[in-house]
């Protein structure tokens, strides 16, 4: 998942005809231009609520702007330091509106969400104050949708026309950029028209093959999690002391649930997925060994991934890494006998029954 | 009978020359599936494990009378391959490929509706009608002919659960893995509805997980019209919000898609919710009074 | 019974404040059609001939429970109006408007399929189920309840023929004018097929014209599955190739769509082809052994 | 229906990435540039077969080009004089291919037609040598279609790629320009790639509201037909001596058929359509009076168009125009009694029965 920073999203907005205030991207104090009038300095961070933490300041001169930037640079936003700043014209806002295009999984279509109560997290707005309307990708934004939406937001006919164009641009971003979210919050209603004051654009990794110009930047603080992400490994970090490696997302989830149900604390899980490559097992164990676990539980139901392949990977990894954690292995399915034999030959005990294996894991974690 | 895969229709494998395609073409044949050909553009005229390869789906249909396909082509080409399959007149297209952009799936699903085709998947293990045929990648060894219909958003967890059902002395009619993505060709509600209408199916197992509202909608459907006993299992009960749990669709966002909400929805619909895979056969036997 | 318009469903008029819309809303009401509202954006809250006007179709539905609409909005806005009708959940949308680009109709037809809606028209007189309701602009006076189903690509020629049938002492079940454009929401084959399945219809009249191959395909269909007597009339027998004969669809191009080809196709399917409108009731009576 | 001239189509091709030879549009001899090498002069006329009639010449210098233009200017192409000329680089053609996108009325979808036997009227090419493939507008041009098409035309992989782009461009023209035909014939297969040597683009009048930049130019020689077209009146010219005015295209066609069936010769027909405006009746009669008819037959089945309105129009027109032809009026349907009364008061007899009216028309035409 690629999250665009505010300024990256706003550059996209400009390209798609969505009006934004004039702004400069500031990477260093010397980038700040001389200016007259009121402007706003905004920290560019991949996390919400920056305003409340002092990441947004009104400034009236170049000096004030530089001072603000220096001060904001000291703030940590959920662990992130600002990479850059937006310096933009301050706008007299009459109302803050909300509008976004995202996927509605229930109707399996893109949906427009809008509200006259913008500027806050849309999840905190009561349902009845949110306008929802599906868009069929084969038809796109219709005139009647624009009319309904403008009427819901109580806009004058002139602003209704502007909103229509904004909605078309936002839907085009969603569609052409394969976005999972294209959001303007707030969309400022001002005397001189509508203006996008902030942007939130998210693109799924799956679609990046169509967007070679986008360099994925992942805002992940945990180094192990980031390494896994960068290598395209399916690793999920949790809190706890029991590491889990399984093949398949569903089996992984079921495994952590079983551990938790029996009183254990899952630390993370690593999904071997559906390829039969022993190196992947070694990679998984290497990553696991970077995290302090008490117990590592390898739970395999062999299909595409064969039990013997996993066994070989485990044996190889243990030789290389000599990890400190205790290991519980459970193998079932394709080539389970061969897998168990390989493990046994290398002094690793394995179990067949999932419930029993989980009990063993809990026992070892409690030692 | 069974659902969807009710007869052993002549079937092609799209992307048969790839590692996965060729391996599973053979596995499907071993299961007894009527695999009549494969498609890889530019490789027409060759054979893979005794299966003739064609350059296009329409060429394969002309030569083999195929009516269904199983798709293994990589994600960037999957949209086009599925459109080709649908345009060429195939009725059933099972997409194993993972990482297809959901934007593509939204469009494919609408397109399949126009053409009257059915898509299963993507990012799924496929469908197996025990005693009839297998389209996809489920292990051949886990099934036993019986009366339990299984629908699941998962892959290996499905195998685990089906294996448990089989080992408990029960058996399956059709097992369908609908896939772990946000938008899937055939969804949980449709599968449950078809199991309800299938004469041979006596009980239904629903394997759900966090994310989305498919389970809640299925619970509504069960309340409204399902008379057969249903046992559910929800994966991800201990998953924290905002984390994508491996499957593209397995994520709790904006407070929606929690395991709790799904478990409650099922319970209020009279569905027995298992807390572990091994509990499923016990609940099934209770409900089937075995 | 009848076809398509089988009951007097609550119906709205899109574009009711226009000259045509208001006139025909009244005419439909006089016929007995259950006209419950009209839609013209910006005119919501007013009334036209006693019919309440709404700003949008969904608003009209919420207030009236409408399930069908008749569209009179000008061509540039027709695409959007039909999408609005379909999106809002209407089952039947009869489009009177002429000069809608065929590109729009190709898309609308596919879209209606996705949503399970039916479009009749455009550029058509609509549909009348005698004794039930009238959606469109056919003159109220020409009908008589009876057993002849009429499908036609024409407007006034339909009135001429229906009037002839009525004056001959016969009567109609449903008369559907499918429209004279190249792409129509409901086509001749579908209408004939539905008449075949309609119990009350004892004979079918098909009014075709030059251009396209709908008549040839209908003849194929008749050969294959129609058991009821069919009488056809083809307009444009003396039309030269390459000239568009008033209707967008009435043109012979590349040697295709000639009257001769259509007459021959019908004859080879056992259809009685009338050479003048006045011959139609005679042929009907012969076939119905009256 | 708007037909683009070759150069207008080629300008569109360039905009949509379809390769064409370098060309100049020549409106007067002084537009011809100096050049080296071989070029072609081509008359810009809205009709086919210009080559056979001397409208295309190879030239080797500016002087030759000017001479060719002057000579071609004297030729009549189905009655049209060339409005302009294309002067373009002569191309060494290895094969002439054909490709077009048009509507397939039977499947109700756009269709690609292609053949390796281009350069001739596609209707003269045997069916088995034509590739046909529907395009769904919600999906557009697919990769598999491109592969199939290139393979059908026997193109190398490099040219296959070029063909794919040409097909995409051509389909985009069809779709975005609301074309009813977007044709390249011939598409030249040359050593240096594929090149569109000619263009044929047709746009339906119905779609012109979306294309305000297109000024409709109608290539109609008959002055009455052109006047009707320009005024948006539905008038169709035939050969014969009996003029017909009816309301509705189907009724018009049925009327001319009945006339022909009974041995008469229809001269033209005018469709009053579905509006109830007496002025339209007057316009129709005015146009009819510009053509020499023996008999004019007005055949009305009143619905939207009322019989009394038509009657009033006829009376008014006869007062204004005093035409020389004999008139037969038949009115049925809405307000027929009132219509007949108005006509009778003004000394015009009218009939109710269509067959009888036709017999009367034939009788009068035979006098």
């Amino acid at each position: 998942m690629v999250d665009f920073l505010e300024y990256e999203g706003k550059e996209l907005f400009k390209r798609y005809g969505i009006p934004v205030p004039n702004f400069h991207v500031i990477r260093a104090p010397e980038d700040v231009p001389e200016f007259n009038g009121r402007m706003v300095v905004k920290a560019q961070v991949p996390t919400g609520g920056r305003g409340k933490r002092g990441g947004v300041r009104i400034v009236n001169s170049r000096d004030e702007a530089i001072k603000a930037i220096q001060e904001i640079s000291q703030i940590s936003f959920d662990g992130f330091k600002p990479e850059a700043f937006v310096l933009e014209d301050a706008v007299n806002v009459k109302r803050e509106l909300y509008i976004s295009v995202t996927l509605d999984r229930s109707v399996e279509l893109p949906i427009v969400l809008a509200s006259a109560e913008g500027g806050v997290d849309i999840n905190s707005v009561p349902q009845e104050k949110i306008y929802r309307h599906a868009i069929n990708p084969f038809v796109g934004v219709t005139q009647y949708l624009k009319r309904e939406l403008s009427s819901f937001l109580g806009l004058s006919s002139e602003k209704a026309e502007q909103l229509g164009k904004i909605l078309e641009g936002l839907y085009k971003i969603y569609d052409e950029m394969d976005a999972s979210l294209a959001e303007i919050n707030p969309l400022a209603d001002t005397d001189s028209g509508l203006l996008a004051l902030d942007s939130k654009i998210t693109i799924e990794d799956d679609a990046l093959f169509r967007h070679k110009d986008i360099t994925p930047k992942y805002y992940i603080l945990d180094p192990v999690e980031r390494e896994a992400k960068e290598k395209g490994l399916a690793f999920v970090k949790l809190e706890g002391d029991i590491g889990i490696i399984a093949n398949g997302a569903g089996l992984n989830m079921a495994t952590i649930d079983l551990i938790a149900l029996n009183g254990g604390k899952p630390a993370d899980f690593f999904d071997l997925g559906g390829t039969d490559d022993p190196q992947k097992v070694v990679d998984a164990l290497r990553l696991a060994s970077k995290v302090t676990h008490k117990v590592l539980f390898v739970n395999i139901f062999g299909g595409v991934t064969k039990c013997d392949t996993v066994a070989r990977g485990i044996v190889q990894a243990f030789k290389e890494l000599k990890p400190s954690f205790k290991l519980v292995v459970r193998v079932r399915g394709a080539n389970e006998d061969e897998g168990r034999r390989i493990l046994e030959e290398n002094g690793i005990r394995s179990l067949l029954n999932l419930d029993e294996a989980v009990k063993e894991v809990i026992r070892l974690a409690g030692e | 009978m069974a659902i969807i895969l009710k007869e052993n229709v002549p079937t092609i494998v799209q992307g048969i020359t790839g590692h996965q395609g060729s391996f599973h073409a053979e596995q499907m044949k071993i299961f007894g599936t009527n695999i009549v050909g494969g498609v890889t553009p530019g490789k027409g005229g060759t054979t893979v494990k005794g299966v003739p390869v064609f350059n296009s789906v329409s060429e394969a249909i002309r030569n083999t009378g195929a009516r269904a396909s199983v798709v293994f082509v990589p994600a960037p080409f999957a949209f086009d391959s599925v459109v080709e399959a649908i345009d060429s007149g195939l009725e059933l297209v099972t997409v194993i490929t993972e990482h297809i952009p959901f934007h593509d799936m939204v469009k494919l699903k609408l397109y399949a509706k126009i053409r009257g085709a059915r898509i299963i998947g993507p990012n799924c293990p496929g469908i197996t009608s025990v005693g009839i045929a297998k389209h996809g990648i489920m292990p051949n060894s886990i099934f036993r002919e019986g009366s339990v219909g299984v629908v699941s958003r998962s892959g290996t967890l499905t195998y685990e659960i089906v294996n448990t059902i089989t080992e408990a002395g029960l058996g399956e009619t059709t097992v369908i893995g609908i896939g772990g993505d946000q938008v899937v060709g055939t969804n949980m509600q449709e599968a449950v509805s078809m199991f309800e209408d299938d004469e041979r199916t006596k009980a239904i197992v629903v394997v759900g997980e966090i994310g989305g509202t498919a389970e809640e909608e299925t619970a509504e459907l069960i309340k409204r019209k399902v008379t057969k006993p249903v046992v559910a299992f929800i994966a991800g009960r201990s998953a924290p919000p905002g984390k994508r749990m491996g499957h593209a669709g397995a994520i709790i966002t904006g407070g929606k898609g929690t395991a709790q909400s799904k478990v409650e929805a099922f319970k209020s619909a009279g569905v027995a919710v298992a807390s572990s895979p091994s509990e499923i056969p016990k609940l099934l036997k209770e409900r089937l009074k075995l």
Side-chain angles (χ1 to χ4, degrees), chain A, chain B:
Chain A
M1 212 166 73
V2 178
D3 287 312
F4 282 31
L5 292 171
E6 176 194 1
Y7 77 90
E8 294 168 322
K10 279 186 170 166
E11 277 161 8
L12 214 50
F13 284 174
K14 277 161 74 174
R15 218 189 308 149
Y16 282 88
I18 297 172
V20 295
N22 291 318
F23 70 92
H24 306 268
V25 181
I26 310 293
R27 292 174 199 282
E30 55 269 29
D31 296 344
V32 178
E34 289 289 351
F35 64 89
N36 293 318
R38 275 155 52 91
M39 294 191 89
V40 195
V41 167
K42 296 193 274 185
Q44 299 299 287
V45 286
T47 181
R50 64 184 170 178
K52 287 177 210 133
R53 291 174 234 177
V56 178
R57 307 266 179 96
I58 296 282
V59 291
N60 293 293
S61 69
R62 184 170 188 270
D63 287 351
E64 270 183 48
I66 290 172
K67 189 157 166 282
I69 286 167
Q70 284 162 342
E71 284 170 15
I72 301 173
S73 297
Q74 305 311 311
I75 304 172
S76 165
F77 297 88
D78 293 334
F80 296 102
K81 292 272 165 199
E83 280 186 24
F85 295 84
V86 156
L87 175 70
E88 81 181 4
D89 291 354
V91 169
N92 280 320
V93 180
K94 281 164 54 192
R95 293 194 302 162
E96 293 193 327
L97 312 174
Y98 173 95
I99 182 166
S100 70
V101 179
T102 185
L103 173 73
D104 183 326
R105 288 174 65 170
S106 178
V107 297
E108 296 171 319
L109 288 174
I111 193 167
V112 181
L113 295 178
S115 177
E117 306 202 346
V120 296
D121 181 352
I122 190 69
N123 291 313
S124 70
V125 176
Q127 284 301 311
E128 69 275 13
K129 298 209 165 163
I130 299 176
Y131 175 85
R132 303 170 66 88
H133 197 289
I135 296 179
N136 193 294
F138 292 159
V139 168
V141 174
T142 57
Q143 299 304 315
Y144 87 89
L145 163 57
K146 292 187 204 165
R147 283 194 303 264
E148 275 191 20
L149 179 58
S150 301
S151 150
F152 182 89
L153 294 176
L155 293 174
S156 66
S157 67
E158 203 179 307
K159 282 180 185 169
E161 184 147 330
Q162 218 194 348
L163 182 75
K165 282 178 190 149
I166 290 170
L167 176 58
E168 273 176 5
L170 203 62
Y171 177 72
K172 263 198 176 167
I173 290 172
Y174 169 89
D175 186 52
E176 293 180 7
M177 301 298 294
D178 289 303
S180 50
L181 175 66
E183 179 186 84
I184 308 175
N185 187 23
L187 175 66
D189 185 0
T190 77
D191 281 333
S192 53
L194 302 174
L195 280 172
L197 292 198
D198 200 353
S199 81
K200 189 154 170 41
I201 310 284
T202 305
I203 296 173
E204 303 281 315
D205 293 344
D206 285 353
L208 291 179
F209 71 85
R210 272 201 284 262
H211 305 280
K212 302 292 185 200
D213 51 321
I214 298 175
T215 314
K217 239 184 334 178
Y218 298 109
Y219 301 100
I220 302 169
L221 292 168
D222 184 277
V224 181
E225 223 173 338
R226 194 168 57 235
E227 186 187 340
K229 182 75 192 164
E230 282 163 2
K231 289 192 176 158
L233 304 171
F235 175 82
V236 176
K237 187 86 166 33
L238 306 164
E239 325 274 308
D241 52 9
I242 299 168
I244 290 142
I245 295 177
N247 59 328
L251 188 59
N252 260 304
M253 278 189 274
T255 309
I256 61 165
D257 289 350
L258 269 178
I259 302 263
L261 186 72
N262 285 278
K265 289 200 177 66
D268 47 52
F269 79 72
F270 186 94
D271 185 3
L272 292 177
T275 55
D276 192 36
D277 178 3
Q279 188 53 46
K280 219 164 173 188
V281 182
V282 178
D283 285 346
L285 278 143
R286 191 184 324 106
L287 270 173
S289 71
K290 289 189 179 175
V291 187
T292 316
H293 293 129
K294 275 181 103 168
V295 186
L296 182 74
F297 179 26
V298 180
N299 182 22
I300 301 300
F301 199 99
V304 176
T305 309
K306 306 287 177 306
C307 294
D308 56 334
T309 309
V310 175
R312 279 189 199 95
I314 292 173
V315 169
Q316 188 190 329
F318 264 69
K319 276 180 191 151
E320 286 175 17
L321 304 166
K322 306 197 195 325
S324 59
F325 47 68
K326 296 165 198 163
L327 180 72
V328 177
V329 182
R330 180 260 181 160
V331 285
R332 278 307 304 267
N335 304 359
E336 67 181 41
D337 292 340
E338 177 69 0
R340 299 189 76 193
R341 196 189 52 76
I342 293 166
L343 290 167
E344 206 163 314
E345 275 175 7
N346 288 276
I348 300 168
R349 213 190 118 217
S350 66
L351 292 117
L352 275 173
N353 183 284
L354 179 55
D355 293 339
E356 280 168 29
V358 168
K359 279 194 194 105
E360 175 68 4
V361 169
I362 302 293
R363 192 186 64 76
L364 289 173
E367 271 183 359
Chain B
M1 280 294 287
I3 68 164
I4 302 174
L5 201 55
K6 294 180 185 178
E7 48 170 319
N8 200 350
V9 288
T11 300
I12 55 170
V13 173
Q14 289 178 265
I16 195 169
T17 54
H19 178 72
Q20 289 251 53
S22 65
F23 176 77
H24 288 291
E26 188 173 37
Q27 289 295 312
M28 283 189 270
K29 275 179 76 177
I30 292 168
F31 190 87
T33 308
N34 187 13
I35 299 293
V36 295
V39 172
T40 299
K43 300 271 175 75
T46 64
T47 60
V48 167
K49 314 236 167 144
V51 177
V53 180
F54 302 94
N55 285 318
S56 69
V57 175
S58 61
E59 195 187 320
I61 292 174
R62 276 196 304 278
N63 284 280
T64 68
R67 285 165 49 200
S69 84
V70 186
V71 177
F72 289 92
V73 302
F77 312 108
F79 179 85
D80 205 73
S81 292
V82 177
V83 170
E84 182 181 1
I86 293 173
D87 280 352
S88 306
L90 299 182
E91 306 151 14
L92 176 63
V93 185
T94 301
V95 188
I96 309 305
T97 312
E98 57 181 338
H99 296 307
I100 296 177
F102 73 79
H103 284 257
D104 291 3
M105 273 315 299
V106 166
K107 289 172 190 162
L108 283 176
K109 210 176 162 174
L110 294 169
Y111 191 58
K113 208 160 181 184
I114 292 175
R115 306 293 302 242
R118 175 175 293 283
I119 298 172
I120 296 176
N123 187 20
C124 82
I127 181 167
T128 305
S129 286
V130 189
I132 298 172
K134 180 185 91 168
H135 284 191
I137 61 171
M138 295 184 195
N140 289 346
S141 59
I142 57 176
F143 304 99
R144 178 167 180 269
E145 221 167 310
S147 60
V148 180
V150 180
V151 52
S152 172
R153 283 170 67 185
S154 173
T156 45
L157 178 58
T158 315
Y159 314 160
E160 178 85 45
I161 287 170
V162 170
N163 193 59
T164 313
I165 293 170
T166 297
E167 289 194 336
L170 297 165
E172 306 82 30
T173 51
T174 297
V175 177
I176 176 169
I178 58 172
D181 281 0
Q182 297 191 78
V183 179
V184 291
T186 297
N187 63 28
M188 190 178 278
Q189 299 92 298
E190 290 173 87
V192 168
S193 193
M194 287 185 278
F195 279 130
E196 169 69 12
D197 296 340
D198 174 44
E199 266 185 34
R200 232 187 65 193
T201 300
K202 303 297 176 208
I204 304 166
V205 171
V206 177
V207 183
E209 60 189 36
I210 54 160
T213 53
E215 291 80 3
E216 286 85 342
E217 286 154 31
T218 303
E220 276 305 311
L221 174 91
I222 290 169
K223 240 185 232 175
R224 231 175 36 241
K225 64 158 266 191
V226 174
T227 58
K228 297 177 182 176
V230 182
V231 174
F233 178 80
I234 304 292
R237 292 195 191 204
S238 50
K243 287 243 184 198
R244 180 154 286 174
M245 302 300 277
H247 278 158
I251 183 165
I252 300 166
T253 45
K256 279 193 196 136
T258 64
Q260 201 191 347
S261 144
K262 291 166 195 303
V263 169
E264 278 167 14
F266 276 133
K267 283 190 173 162
S268 87
V271 171
V273 182
S275 56
S276 73
S278 59
E279 208 186 329
I280 293 171
K282 289 173 210 154
L283 292 169
L284 279 170
K285 284 181 178 174
E286 274 173 37
R287 307 272 148 162
L288 288 167
K289 311 207 189 317
L290 294 173

